[in-house]
Amino acid sequence: DGLLAIGDGKPDAVILDARVPAIDTIRCIKSLRSGTRLRHTRVIVFSDREDEQPLFLDAGAAAFVPKPQVEALHRVTYQLLG
């Protein structure tokens, strides 16, 4: 489970690569949103499948960045975290 990597921390943001086979991205986002400790943690998803963007945003992601636009990922992260 991708949430185990967070441990007891409370990050300002979590960046998820939707193409990592070991992580169910939608489930991970929903798990973050359902708990009290990490509910307000911003989730940024990046993927090469732009058609999946609505699924991630509907699940509670703060932003979606299409691959391979790493520069856009940096920009969105800065916008969300200041």
Side-chain angles (χ1 to χ4, degrees):
D1 190 30
L3 296 176
L4 294 177
I6 297 173
D8 292 330
K10 190 173 179 191
D12 292 323
V14 173
I15 300 173
L16 298 173
D17 182 343
R19 293 291 140 228
V20 174
I23 298 174
D24 179 339
T25 307
I26 300 292
R27 187 171 144 237
C28 188
I29 296 168
K30 288 182 177 182
S31 293
L32 283 166
R33 294 290 163 253
S34 68
T36 56
R37 184 172 61 89
L38 300 172
R39 181 181 336 190
H40 300 291
T41 299
R42 295 171 183 101
V43 179
I44 302 167
V45 177
F46 69 107
S47 173
D48 57 353
R49 297 276 316 266
E50 289 188 54
D51 60 314
E52 293 181 343
Q53 177 179 357
L55 299 174
F56 301 125
L57 297 176
D58 288 345
F64 175 87
V65 178
K67 283 184 180 180
Q69 299 184 25
V70 176
E71 292 172 12
L73 179 61
H74 291 278
R75 185 174 56 255
V76 166
T77 303
Y78 180 78
Q79 288 172 347
L80 291 175
L81 301 178

